[in-house]
Amino acid sequence: MEAAMVSAFSGAMGSLLTKLAGLLEKDFKLASSAKKDILFLRDEMRSINTSLMVLSEMDEPIDLPHRELRDKVRELAYDMEDCVDIYTHSANKAGFLYDLKTLGARYETAKLIKDLKARVEQLGNRHNLFVQLPERPRAVRVDPRIQALYTDAANLQGIDGPRQELVELLQDGAPQLKVVSIVGSGGIGKTTLVNQVYKAIQGRYDCTAFVSVSRAPNLIKILSDLLDRIGWYSSSQDDTEELISTLRDYLQDKRYLIVIDDIWTIEAWNIIRCCFIENNRGSRVITTTRTEGTAKECCSTLHDYVYKIRPLNDVDSKRLFYRRIFQSEDACPEQLKSISSEILKKCGGLPLAILTIGSILATHQEACSMEIWEKMIHSFRFQLETSPALEWMRHVFDLGYNDLSLDLKTCMLYLGIFPEDCKILKDDLLRRWIAEGFITDRHSHCQEETAESYYFELINRNMIQIAEYDDCGEVISVRVHDLVLEYIILKSTEQNFITTISDKHITKGSSEVRRLSVHVRNSESYNVLENMALTQVRSFNLWGPAQWLPSLKKFRLLRVLHLDIFGSEDRQYHMSSVSSLFQLRYLRTRGILCRKLLQTQLQNLEQLQTLEVVSEREYYDLDARMLPSTLRHLKIKAGVELVGEIGRLRDLRTLCEFEILLRNGERMKELGALTNLRELKLYRCQSGRDDTTCDVLLSSFCRLCSLRSLIIRGPMSLNQYPDFLARWSPPPRHLRRLHVLACLFSTVPADFLAQLGNLSSLEIKVRSLPSDGADVLSRLTLLVHLTLHVQSAPREGVVVFRHAAFPNLKEFLFRCEALCLAFEAGAMPRLRVLEIECYARGTRLSDRVLEGIEHMGSLDKLKVNVFGREDFISRFACSAVVEEPRVEEHRRWEEESLEAALKEAISKHPGSLRVVIRDV
């Protein structure tokens, strides 16, 4: 595969080689000696890069000589690319080619190139070390899983429930061979759990075996161990096929239980699985793995099951921690309980981390010293790097890290940019990776698709944790476990990849700062940026007060600029220097006034792809002619009106929020030129004098064939033009989200919805719901989220959802004057959240209130908002209106009747529903 342009391991080497080749191909009027020097640079760096790629395939840590040389080459590649970028940018300026013909300009260019050549030559022949990569002697490590195999069950916490679940799952009486795969991150206790299950049930089988695979498996040894442990004693064999045949013959008439611990690859499993014969004797196989894809492959038949192990909860974490230190969960001194909560938060429910840190504290001479405990929480990164007690934890993390490809390692280390406990938005992260140069086009995949595949691979390997899902059921954000983040920052520092500054720590590598992340809360702390060289910084990310924002003039080569400022919303910043950041590809600001920024000559930023500006108190026009045509993602707040020639932004994939005026037909027409749009959010669709502009808007929609998401919202709706969206034909076939509550439909648009088979999220408002309206909507079988507003109560008095309707729906929000829903058995089998908005007098309009709710076993939360007025305006919003005593009494009776009907329906539900009923 083609290497990424930029990586944590080799720096900008890939990008540099491409640009050196470009210098030779373009006519820059270089002197002949300069061209020879560039050829030398290209050939030397290409040769070194070849050896670097071989070195990158070796596990960390790399020995000292190779590490030092790698670091020198990486920093040299960064510096060389910076020089080439500055030179080519200047050469492309108007009039510069003429100046370059002068003797002085040629001399300066040649001198610059010679300086670079000299730096390469300073390496001498040391780069030959790269092709001399002997096997490094490795310290013989005791497998950390051995301890898990011999742990007394009495010393474990939180294992009883999972163990019982797995025992019941395995001992279900089914005669078919069943495979159960336990999946979870390193250190979460997979081996401990499976060993406890194995001990609990092994006596019920004719033969049993427990073998470990590891990351680099020796399949001959694994198969031989299997034979040995099931009780087959024979002469050693060294042929895989013979071993498999012997195993199959031996297991032919046996009821067997086999544990395959720590599988890393599907390839290894595909060999091992050949041993397990289906003999209908109730045999069982248990596997453990860090990778969800491998777990699913292990469990590829109807009888198999993937069990995702969960971290310990707070109670079990405390018990395990306190017992390790004080031999009792009740013996923790009161003054240490607060700091222990901080330590356990960092451990995040990982038993390995809890026991390891507990062991360090327990063996310290002053185990109950507040100072020692505080030192542990504030110096954990240092402890992880140096403490022998944490060697096993480093080893566990190293195993996962070393199993990643070079590109995935880079993408993972980049997560160190973000503050602790930060929810990392998927789209934001992918755009950053692309802007930093970590992602290249692969075969038929574009950069966005490749970046997304990396993202899901890190989730699949349990390197990052899912934080939230969006309304389409897709992952929208992730988190990094606190200890994994500490490990990431440690590795990033070793490779001088990221420099982080917080209120308590400065973590910096040994070379120039390349990527800088600042997350501070204390505006009074000493600002170390004032004396830091920033001209070579490629990425600057600030979460903190405005005092920490340096002048943008200090930067020159930024690719990524992220400013999340707090406490300065009224302050205007002079950001005209942004226009000089000719390499800028990603710009996001939050918490500062940016009107002047957006009125700067941003069109000079010829590489800018992402522009996101979040400010709360600014309303102005943004001229699209001031924006670079390279933009792919433009996100501005509602109230900033995009004007000018928006059709020139033809590369746009994302446009949010676009304030649109229907009376401006020309702007509606230009919207249709953005044929690459995938996400479009429109705000405040104000009406014009007639409906001709609606036709123009609809015509533009028909040209947006790549659209995946359309949201139309705002206080002034398109309700005076009902059904205009129903004439959208054909709608985009890839459309997954359609939120159009601002656009009224007379009834459920059956023909229109029939063309939207890929919809996952729908929000729609209809004037009336016909008897088959629910059936029409239920044909959208992929729906995960549905919001349905109905203006008039149905004539039949109830909306019935039939058997098997909405098989994937998880959230349903229903608004109607009457609480008139009924569910047949089997309807909405996956529904978890049901939210209803109705009038207090709704009980008089229907005598079937939530009929059949008892069939909805997956329902977890029911929320009912009861409005006192028929236009769904809150009573509290109309508090100035004085109600007559009789009216107030009648309203109270209606509310009490509705509440009684609700309680009666809810009482029939078999689960423990979370119920919220509010008078709004």
Side-chain angles (χ1 to χ4, degrees):
M1 281 190 179
E2 180 188 355
M5 302 299 282
V6 180
S7 76
F9 188 87
S10 59
M13 181 68 80
S15 178
L16 171 66
L17 293 174
T18 300
K19 290 177 179 179
L20 287 175
L23 278 180
L24 296 171
E25 293 172 1
K26 294 181 180 179
D27 183 14
F28 283 119
K29 308 296 183 183
L30 295 169
S32 59
S33 60
K35 288 186 177 181
K36 290 180 182 179
D37 289 341
I38 291 174
L39 279 170
F40 168 82
L41 293 175
R42 184 195 65 182
D43 294 342
E44 283 291 291
M45 298 303 282
R46 182 181 291 169
S47 174
I48 293 174
N49 186 56
T50 300
S51 298
L52 267 181
M53 291 301 100
V54 176
L55 186 63
S56 72
E57 295 175 0
M58 303 184 71
D59 286 354
E60 297 276 358
I62 301 171
D63 58 22
L64 184 59
H66 287 102
R67 186 167 69 247
E68 289 181 345
L69 192 52
R70 174 205 64 185
D71 293 348
K72 287 180 180 293
V73 171
R74 182 190 60 234
E75 298 306 313
L76 176 59
Y78 276 130
D79 291 341
M80 289 176 68
E81 189 193 29
D82 290 346
C83 291
V84 171
D85 287 340
I86 292 171
Y87 165 68
T88 53
H89 173 67
S90 300
N92 286 324
K93 287 184 178 180
F96 187 82
L97 288 178
Y98 175 82
D99 294 336
L100 192 62
K101 295 177 182 179
T102 67
L103 182 61
R106 289 193 180 194
Y107 173 78
E108 290 297 327
T109 303
K111 183 177 183 300
L112 174 64
I113 295 172
K114 285 188 177 297
D115 289 344
L116 295 174
K117 180 182 177 183
R119 288 188 63 181
V120 175
E121 290 175 335
Q122 284 177 2
L123 294 173
N125 292 322
R126 285 183 293 169
H127 71 262
N128 291 332
L129 282 172
F130 283 136
V131 295
Q132 301 171 8
L133 301 174
E135 280 292 325
R136 302 194 307 279
R138 294 180 179 271
V140 178
R141 285 174 167 168
V142 178
D143 193 329
R145 292 168 299 189
I146 290 178
Q147 182 179 356
L149 299 179
Y150 296 98
T151 301
D152 188 343
N155 296 324
L156 301 174
Q157 288 297 328
I159 204 169
D160 293 342
R163 178 177 54 199
Q164 186 59 33
E165 283 183 64
L166 286 168
V167 168
E168 292 176 359
L169 187 65
L170 291 161
Q171 303 292 35
D172 60 352
Q176 302 93 341
L177 172 66
K178 175 184 283 189
V179 179
V180 173
S181 188
I182 302 172
V183 62
S185 60
I188 202 168
K190 299 184 294 296
T191 301
T192 301
L193 174 59
V194 74
N195 184 53
Q196 293 299 313
V197 173
Y198 178 72
K199 288 179 178 179
I201 64 175
Q202 64 181 18
R204 307 172 190 177
Y205 295 85
D206 301 330
C207 59
T208 61
F210 192 121
V211 296
S212 295
V213 176
S214 79
R215 182 170 157 256
N218 182 334
L219 289 173
I220 296 292
K221 184 178 185 307
I222 292 167
L223 296 175
S224 297
D225 288 347
L226 262 177
L227 271 172
D228 181 59
R229 291 170 190 176
I230 62 176
W232 176 269
Y233 302 100
S234 65
S235 59
S236 61
Q237 301 180 43
D238 58 4
D239 183 81
T240 303
E241 291 185 16
E242 289 182 12
L243 285 167
I244 291 174
S245 295
T246 303
L247 278 162
R248 290 178 65 88
D249 289 343
Y250 184 79
L251 297 175
Q252 179 70 44
D253 58 352
K254 305 288 194 304
R255 186 172 189 257
Y256 56 87
L257 169 67
I258 294 177
V259 174
I260 308 296
D261 187 35
D262 202 26
I263 297 178
W264 284 79
T265 65
I266 293 173
E267 291 76 16
W269 168 250
N270 285 338
I271 298 297
I272 296 171
R273 75 189 305 173
C274 296
C275 303
F276 308 133
I277 191 166
E278 172 61 88
N279 55 17
N280 287 315
R281 291 179 176 269
S283 298
R284 299 292 182 260
V285 174
I286 312 173
T287 68
T288 72
T289 179
R290 296 185 181 202
T291 307
E292 300 205 17
T294 303
K296 291 176 182 177
E297 185 63 26
C298 292
C299 299
S300 55
T301 75
L302 294 175
H303 309 295
D304 300 340
Y305 185 81
V306 174
Y307 183 89
K308 187 162 186 177
I309 190 169
R310 296 176 292 274
L312 295 180
N313 60 35
D314 291 344
V315 173
D316 288 329
S317 294
K318 284 184 179 180
R319 286 175 178 167
L320 184 62
F321 188 58
Y322 292 160
R323 284 185 178 181
R324 180 64 190 91
I325 302 173
F326 308 110
Q327 288 73 53
S328 169
E329 59 189 84
D330 300 320
C332 178
E334 193 65 33
Q335 71 271 17
L336 295 179
K337 288 185 177 179
S338 178
I339 189 71
S340 69
S341 295
E342 291 186 49
I343 293 175
L344 289 173
K345 175 186 173 296
K346 186 171 284 291
C347 292
L350 285 184
L352 175 63
I354 295 170
L355 288 170
T356 303
I357 296 175
S359 297
I360 295 174
L361 294 172
T363 55
H364 201 281
Q365 292 180 347
E366 301 178 56
C368 293
S369 166
M370 174 70 79
E371 182 180 353
I372 298 302
W373 285 48
E374 288 180 342
K375 183 178 179 181
M376 169 60 72
I377 193 68
H378 296 314
S379 64
F380 189 83
R381 196 174 305 152
F382 175 77
Q383 296 278 345
L384 184 62
E385 182 180 13
T386 60
S387 173
L390 290 173
E391 181 179 357
W392 294 132
M393 191 175 301
R394 289 199 305 273
H395 177 57
V396 168
F397 290 155
D398 279 339
L399 284 173
Y401 178 76
N402 288 330
D403 196 54
L404 300 175
S405 67
L406 186 59
D407 291 352
L408 271 176
K409 287 178 180 177
T410 301
C411 291
M412 178 182 171
L413 292 187
Y414 190 75
L415 298 171
I417 284 283
F418 299 94
E420 188 175 298
D421 295 329
C422 177
K423 286 184 181 179
I424 304 171
L425 294 175
K426 171 192 168 187
D427 290 342
D428 181 59
L429 180 61
L430 269 53
R431 291 163 192 170
R432 285 169 170 268
W433 283 348
I434 292 171
E436 293 275 7
F438 305 153
I439 310 296
T440 55
D441 295 335
R442 297 290 173 84
H443 305 299
S444 60
H445 297 290
C446 65
Q447 286 182 314
E448 288 82 358
E449 292 171 332
T450 302
E452 188 173 52
S453 71
Y454 289 172
Y455 179 83
F456 285 114
E457 183 63 19
L458 290 176
I459 294 175
N460 177 47
R461 291 171 176 266
N462 282 291
M463 308 299 279
I464 53 180
Q465 304 168 340
I466 296 174
E468 292 176 317
Y469 292 90
D470 67 7
D471 54 288
C472 290
E474 297 183 342
V475 179
I476 190 175
S477 67
V478 294
R479 277 196 179 98
V480 182
H481 190 285
D482 286 357
L483 295 185
V484 175
L485 181 60
E486 297 284 5
Y487 176 81
I488 285 173
I489 294 175
L490 184 63
K491 298 299 293 185
S492 294
T493 306
E494 289 175 2
Q495 300 191 30
N496 198 49
F497 187 60
I498 295 172
T499 297
T500 59
I501 299 173
S502 66
D503 289 313
K504 297 176 181 177
H505 299 286
I506 299 177
T507 308
K508 182 183 180 300
S510 57
S511 303
E512 299 282 4
V513 176
R514 303 294 176 182
R515 292 170 191 84
L516 180 57
S517 179
V518 181
H519 24 95
V520 296
R521 304 297 300 178
N522 186 3
S523 60
E524 303 300 325
S525 59
Y526 173 66
N527 189 343
V528 297
L529 298 182
E530 294 178 356
N531 299 316
M532 184 178 288
L534 301 175
T535 55
Q536 75 290 335
V537 173
R538 293 167 167 246
S539 175
F540 179 66
N541 305 268
L542 171 61
W543 288 266
Q547 290 85 341
W548 280 80
L549 177 59
S551 170
L552 296 182
K553 293 180 180 179
K554 291 189 174 184
F555 300 100
R556 189 175 186 183
L557 298 164
L558 278 182
R559 273 78 168 165
V560 170
L561 177 58
H562 170 99
L563 303 176
D564 199 333
I565 309 294
F566 61 79
S568 302
E569 293 181 357
D570 294 327
R571 183 174 174 181
Q572 186 68 250
Y573 286 85
H574 299 288
M575 301 185 69
S576 58
S577 300
V578 168
S579 61
S580 65
L581 303 177
F582 63 94
Q583 292 278 25
L584 198 65
R585 300 165 188 170
Y586 172 101
L587 172 58
R588 185 181 189 274
T589 70
R590 180 186 181 91
I592 57 177
L593 300 179
C594 291
R595 179 173 184 171
K596 291 183 179 179
L597 166 65
L598 292 178
Q599 294 176 342
T600 303
Q601 299 295 318
L602 292 183
Q603 71 265 38
N604 294 333
L605 304 179
E606 297 177 354
Q607 299 195 53
L608 189 66
Q609 294 186 344
T610 298
L611 175 60
E612 182 173 352
V613 178
V614 182
S615 56
E616 300 299 330
R617 304 179 183 177
E618 290 185 291
Y619 300 90
Y620 51 87
D621 291 349
L622 174 60
D623 194 336
R625 291 169 297 186
M626 304 296 291
L627 302 176
S629 60
T630 53
L631 272 182
R632 290 191 173 193
H633 310 285
L634 176 59
K635 301 184 77 171
I636 51 180
K637 68 177 290 288
V640 177
E641 187 178 348
L642 187 62
V643 298
E645 300 171 6
I646 62 173
R648 60 185 291 275
L649 305 175
R650 295 182 182 272
D651 285 341
L652 274 184
R653 268 70 166 171
T654 305
L655 178 55
C656 307
E657 293 193 9
F658 183 26
E659 183 170 326
I660 193 168
L661 305 176
L662 285 181
R663 61 176 176 268
N664 193 328
E666 187 59 33
R667 199 181 313 168
M668 302 303 95
K669 185 177 180 180
E670 285 202 18
L671 183 64
L674 308 180
T675 54
N676 288 308
L677 271 182
R678 297 186 178 184
E679 181 181 355
L680 176 60
K681 183 182 287 188
L682 303 179
Y683 175 76
R684 193 176 291 164
C685 296
Q686 297 180 356
S687 61
R689 291 187 295 271
D690 54 52
D691 60 358
T692 57
T693 48
C694 275
D695 293 335
V696 176
L697 179 60
L698 185 62
S699 176
S700 291
F701 282 170
C702 291
R703 298 176 62 188
L704 306 182
C705 300
S706 300
L707 211 58
R708 266 73 166 172
S709 172
L710 174 63
I711 299 175
I712 302 177
R713 71 177 193 90
M716 300 187 67
S717 70
L718 293 165
N719 289 348
Q720 56 268 53
Y721 305 115
D723 300 319
F724 96 94
L725 269 186
R727 295 185 281 118
W728 186 359
S729 182
R733 61 189 182 94
H734 297 295
L735 196 67
R736 301 203 62 206
R737 177 185 292 108
L738 182 64
H739 293 183
V740 287
L741 293 176
C743 305
L744 179 67
F745 293 89
S746 299
T747 186
V748 177
D751 294 340
F752 173 63
L753 294 178
Q755 303 175 75
L756 300 176
N758 289 315
L759 271 188
S760 297
S761 181
L762 174 64
E763 296 188 357
I764 189 174
K765 177 163 63 175
V766 298
R767 184 171 287 155
S768 62
L769 192 68
S771 57
D772 66 342
D775 296 334
V776 171
L777 288 169
S778 68
R779 293 169 194 158
L780 299 171
T781 57
L782 298 183
L783 277 186
V784 175
H785 167 90
L786 173 63
T787 294
L788 176 61
H789 288 187
V790 181
Q791 285 190 339
S792 303
R795 294 179 181 177
E796 293 78 11
V798 66
V799 180
V800 180
F801 294 97
R802 310 293 179 190
H803 170 74
F806 298 104
N808 292 296
L809 198 66
K810 294 183 179 180
E811 293 183 343
F812 179 32
L813 284 73
F814 180 74
R815 170 184 280 193
C816 185
E817 56 183 321
L819 205 164
C820 52
L821 300 180
F823 307 92
E824 292 185 357
M828 302 184 183
R830 297 186 178 182
L831 192 71
R832 297 184 61 85
V833 178
L834 176 59
E835 185 170 345
I836 300 170
E837 295 181 346
C838 63
Y839 303 152
R841 66 182 184 89
T843 49
R844 290 184 288 135
L845 301 176
S846 174
D847 57 356
R848 301 170 69 180
V849 175
L850 296 183
E851 182 180 288
I853 194 174
E854 64 271 16
H855 302 311
M856 305 175 72
S858 295
L859 191 62
D860 177 62
K861 181 178 180 180
L862 172 65
K863 182 177 180 181
V864 181
N865 292 322
V866 182
F867 289 80
R869 293 169 57 105
E870 296 186 5
D871 52 1
F872 286 98
I873 297 177
S874 167
R875 287 193 295 115
F876 305 107
C878 304
S879 57
V881 178
V882 179
E883 296 180 333
E884 296 180 7
R886 183 174 299 177
V887 173
E888 174 65 21
E889 181 181 351
H890 188 69
R891 183 188 59 77
R892 192 181 308 113
W893 175 82
E894 289 176 337
E895 290 176 356
E896 290 173 354
S897 299
L898 177 58
E899 186 174 349
L902 279 169
K903 288 181 177 179
E904 181 181 355
I906 293 168
S907 66
K908 300 176 183 178
H909 193 273
S912 54
L913 274 180
R914 292 180 294 154
V915 179
V916 179
I917 302 175
R918 296 193 312 160
D919 294 334
V920 182

